[in-house]
Amino acid sequence: MESQLDVIIPVYKPGKELLELMQKLKEQEYPVNRIIIMNTEQKYFDRLTYGTSFYEKYPMVSVCHVSKREFDHGATRRMGVRKSEAPYFLMMTQDALPVNTKLTAELMKAVSGEKIAAAYARQLPAEGCGEVERFTRNYNYPDSSVVKTGQDIKRLGIKTYFCSNVCALYNRSIYEATGGFLEKAIFNEDMVYAAGAVKAGYGIAYCAQAEVIHSHNYTGREQFHRNFDLGVSQADHPEVFEEVPSESEGMRMVRMTAGHLRHIGKRRKIPGLLYISGCKYLGYLLGKNYRKLPKAWILRFTANKDYWLKYRS
């Protein structure tokens, strides 16, 4: 079978999980043509592969190194796409692991419709994942597939634009026609792209049959920093987010998570949920209003200082 698919993976300080991902991609039933790794800081990648047969074992892999200062969530991914000539490309992160050999085949099937701009995979919680994060994964990534279009905005709100580059496959022709990922993005380059595609009349497919293991047990501090950057991205793109505010969706998820904890007899975890949710909301609120904050505060609150030093200095 001649493959029409390349995989593009931004990487930073890779560990053994990347080697496992390479092997899983090599074993896919729908074959991968090329794997393009956009690595930040060469020394970390060299440290992982030194003295190994990495390039002999994975001849389909090519590596492009950028500095930490050069990295950008949008621009680095755009660069990776330009290095590919395949009609379809799969964006992944280094910590997403395919559950089986059907990932690429299911995603290719989901994006095959002529009006489907992208298809993203279901994310399942890893072993050792906390109960709140486990519920969140199941809430955001249910077991039934759906195609979202502009007709769903009134019903789904901001979730119409939800798409995750943890594992999402794109139709190149639609990607090129709609302008691709942002040149500058602190966060959320996947949702901003999806929103533009939906507004241009295309659909975003959620493919529940394509599964990857991906979850985190973030601390309150980590959630604060991530959600500050999320708020910044929303403030910078009112054309996307003003008409579909995300606050109500966030509150709904907190209520449902608390109800789930009560239902399974783990009420003692509710204070922790409220603490984490408070950190998220405070970070998000400050990020939405970042233009009113001193630069020193922004650098303390962000998870991506290099973005501000590069674009906002």
Side-chain angles (χ1 to χ4, degrees):
M1 179 191 302
E2 184 177 350
S3 176
Q4 294 186 299
L5 176 65
D6 286 347
V7 180
I8 302 164
I9 311 172
V11 166
Y12 180 55
K13 292 185 178 180
K16 292 183 178 179
E17 80 284 345
L18 181 65
L19 303 180
E20 190 172 1
L21 173 56
M22 293 299 100
Q23 187 60 33
K24 291 284 188 179
L25 290 174
K26 185 177 180 180
E27 295 169 353
Q28 291 296 300
E29 291 179 11
Y30 184 93
V32 172
N33 180 40
R34 294 178 62 208
I35 300 174
I36 301 167
I37 294 178
M38 301 300 298
N39 176 68
T40 301
E41 298 295 343
Q42 182 172 352
K43 61 184 178 182
Y44 299 119
F45 197 88
D46 290 347
R47 189 178 301 167
L48 176 69
T49 59
Y50 178 76
T52 72
S53 57
F54 178 84
Y55 294 100
E56 290 76 18
K57 189 173 183 180
Y58 305 111
M60 76 289 283
V61 172
S62 60
V63 183
C64 174
H65 299 290
V66 298
S67 70
K68 195 168 186 293
R69 185 71 182 268
E70 291 173 310
F71 175 82
D72 179 276
H73 283 285
T76 301
R77 286 178 168 87
R78 285 177 68 96
M79 188 188 306
V81 175
R82 287 198 299 268
K83 292 180 179 297
S84 165
E85 297 179 354
Y88 300 90
F89 59 89
L90 174 62
M91 303 300 310
M92 294 193 73
T93 56
Q94 68 196 64
D95 58 348
L97 191 66
V99 169
N100 53 41
T101 61
K102 300 181 183 298
L103 176 73
T104 55
E106 293 292 349
L107 287 171
M108 285 292 287
K109 193 186 308 180
V111 84
S112 62
E114 64 180 35
K115 297 291 284 184
I116 304 299
Y120 65 100
R122 186 181 189 189
Q123 296 181 30
L124 301 176
E127 288 186 25
C129 178
E131 188 60 45
V132 171
E133 174 71 357
R134 186 174 298 277
F135 181 82
T136 300
R137 290 292 129 181
N138 292 329
Y139 177 87
N140 287 327
Y141 303 95
D143 59 5
S144 56
S145 300
V146 66
V147 174
K148 300 173 292 183
T149 68
Q151 296 179 344
D152 297 306
I153 293 174
K154 286 187 178 180
R155 179 174 63 90
L156 296 177
I158 197 167
K159 290 183 76 70
T160 308
Y161 302 149
F162 185 73
C163 182
S164 175
N165 271 344
V166 164
C167 185
L169 194 148
Y170 293 82
N171 181 319
R172 175 183 288 277
S173 63
I174 296 176
Y175 172 89
E176 301 289 356
T178 53
F181 299 128
L182 296 166
E183 287 280 5
K184 298 187 295 184
I186 190 171
F187 201 64
N188 244 8
E189 81 293 332
D190 39 19
M191 279 189 70
V192 174
Y193 172 80
V198 168
K199 291 182 178 184
Y202 298 101
I204 302 296
Y206 166 61
C207 182
Q209 292 75 33
E211 298 176 326
V212 294
I213 296 171
H214 180 262
S215 59
H216 295 284
N217 290 318
Y218 287 127
T219 65
R221 179 186 292 272
E222 289 169 331
Q223 292 285 19
F224 172 88
H225 293 309
R226 285 176 57 83
N227 278 265
F228 179 83
D229 291 351
L230 173 65
V232 170
S233 74
Q234 293 199 11
D236 283 347
H237 295 282
E239 77 282 1
V240 173
F241 297 103
E242 276 192 356
E243 65 176 342
V244 284
S246 59
E247 290 89 341
S248 58
E249 178 61 28
M251 290 300 297
R252 180 172 181 266
M253 189 169 72
V254 173
R255 289 195 298 270
M256 292 188 67
T257 307
H260 169 72
L261 293 173
R262 285 193 294 269
H263 178 71
I264 64 174
K266 294 188 176 182
R267 292 173 179 263
R268 66 187 183 278
K269 291 187 176 292
I270 293 178
L273 166 67
L274 297 178
Y275 166 70
I276 291 290
S277 300
C279 291
K280 286 182 177 181
Y281 184 67
L282 179 60
Y284 168 78
L285 194 63
L286 288 168
K288 285 273 284 188
N289 293 278
Y290 79 90
R291 293 183 180 91
K292 301 175 183 178
L293 302 178
K295 181 68 172 294
W297 289 23
I298 292 173
L299 292 176
R300 290 186 63 184
F301 294 163
T302 184
N304 190 354
K305 290 182 181 180
D306 289 304
Y307 172 85
W308 297 95
L309 296 173
K310 179 166 55 175
Y311 295 129
R312 308 295 183 100
S313 59

